Amino acid sequence: MVTAAWLRRGLVVAALLGSTGCSTQLVNLNEGPREYVATDYENVLRTWTRTEHLFALSELDNFLTATATFESWDFRWAYVARYAQDYRLTIEQRQKLLEKTLEETRQRHQFFVAIFGGERKYNDLSTPNSAWIVRLIDDTGNETAPEEIVAITKPNALERTYFPYNTVWRQAFRIRFPRATAEGRPTISPSAKWFGLRFAGAQGNSELVWQLNEDPAEAVELEQDAARARPLRPVRGRL
């Protein structure tokens, strides 16, 4: 009979073997139309998904394995292409869904996250007694707390199929962050070379990182867009 301890150790070894030989795939946050079809979804999902493991080598004990998909503009376009094909949406229905989901990217940064490891009861990220706190970070020093963490207690067929790493062994969440601070500063800087999710707790910390394509012209354009989006402030009595 396989004990829980040996099962955990087996998962750690599998994680170690599976993490070797992987190359970092660059991503881009630019918007604009895409030409995805339903069969593109799996490749786009891999592009926007990251996994990291936090474990004690001395005990081969897995503290945390976290997998997250950043639901970016690019990802959502591919998602809608797949969804529209699976559910046989009309052209009008597809267009309405696409407009709705792309508009959500302008309101917040959203991640689909599935985790396992350690004691399951402390892995509920949506509760105050969770073993982990989550932050959105980038290489310019930005660190942002979630505005909402929603636990997906009973994943449906869609969430199991479209995020296949979300197995019965894991706990799933949607984590949402503001796109800008109260002062109007973007939570992912236009000049950032990478952004990510940090999971931190008493047992250590782990970071899932998305490396960005460096495009100076695009960075300038994003900075200008961010500046236009900032609220105007009175200056010396002037509006």
Side-chain angles (χ1 to χ4, degrees), residues 111-149:
F111 296 81
F112 187 96
V113 177
I115 66 173
F116 71 86
E119 293 191 53
R120 186 178 179 88
K121 64 181 179 179
Y122 295 126
N123 281 346
D124 188 345
L125 303 175
S126 64
T127 63
N129 65 339
S130 171
W132 309 100
I133 61 171
V134 187
R135 294 293 183 265
L136 174 65
I137 59 174
D138 69 21
D139 65 296
T140 70
N142 283 329
E143 185 172 326
T144 308
E147 65 179 18
E148 185 179 30
I149 300 179

Side-chain angles (χ1 to χ4, degrees), residues 4-237:
W6 277 107
L7 177 59
R8 287 198 302 270
R9 292 178 182 181
L11 291 172
V12 171
V13 172
L16 283 168
L17 294 174
S19 63
T20 60
C22 297
S23 60
T24 301
Q25 188 163 9
L26 300 179
V27 296
N28 198 302
L29 296 179
N30 67 324
E31 300 181 359
R34 305 292 195 269
E35 296 183 357
Y36 290 135
V37 295
T39 53
D40 292 324
Y41 176 74
E42 290 185 2
N43 285 334
V44 176
L45 174 66
R46 282 193 291 269
T47 297
W48 290 100
T49 299
R50 300 289 183 271
T51 296
E52 288 295 339
H53 312 277
L54 180 63
F55 45 79
L57 283 175
S58 59
E59 302 173 2
L60 283 181
D61 197 10
N62 181 34
F63 294 143
L64 177 70
T65 291
T67 301
T69 301
F70 179 49
E71 298 186 45
S72 65
W73 175 283
D74 185 70
F75 169 81
R76 287 170 185 254
W77 201 290
Y79 183 99
V80 170
R82 169 72 181 272
Y83 185 97
Q85 173 67 26
D86 287 348
Y87 288 88
R88 301 299 190 266
L89 301 186
T90 65
I91 294 177
E92 182 180 359
Q93 289 172 328
R94 169 178 169 151
Q95 187 60 33
K96 286 183 178 179
L97 177 61
L98 183 62
E99 291 173 357
K100 178 178 181 293
T101 192
L102 292 181
E103 180 58 30
E104 289 175 355
T105 69
R106 298 189 176 104
Q107 304 301 321
R108 60 186 61 85
H109 295 306
Q110 180 169 289
F111 296 81
F112 187 96
V113 177
I115 66 173
F116 71 86
E119 293 191 53
R120 186 178 179 88
K121 64 181 179 179
Y122 295 126
N123 281 346
D124 188 345
L125 303 175
S126 64
T127 63
N129 65 339
S130 171
W132 309 100
I133 61 171
V134 187
R135 294 293 183 265
L136 174 65
I137 59 174
D138 69 21
D139 65 296
T140 70
N142 283 329
E143 185 172 326
T144 308
E147 65 179 18
E148 185 179 30
I149 300 179
V150 178
I152 305 173
T153 55
K154 294 181 179 180
N156 56 32
L158 192 70
E159 290 157 342
R160 294 285 194 206
T161 304
Y162 285 24
F163 302 93
Y165 55 82
N166 179 29
T167 66
V168 295
W169 302 102
R170 300 195 179 209
Q171 292 167 267
F173 308 87
R174 271 199 164 89
I175 305 181
R176 302 181 176 105
F177 298 88
R179 283 185 62 95
T181 65
E183 296 76 24
R185 187 181 71 255
T187 51
I188 299 178
S189 171
S191 59
K193 295 181 180 179
W194 59 263
F195 68 93
L197 291 181
R198 175 188 294 145
F199 294 81
Q203 294 172 315
N205 64 84
S206 180
E207 295 180 358
L208 282 65
V209 172
W210 287 259
Q211 296 281 349
L212 292 165
N213 276 324
E214 294 187 41
D215 185 339
E218 182 184 331
V220 171
E221 183 179 349
L222 289 171
E223 182 62 48
Q224 291 172 345
D225 290 344
R228 286 192 289 268
R230 294 185 187 113
L232 295 177
R233 294 184 176 184
V235 180
R236 294 187 179 181

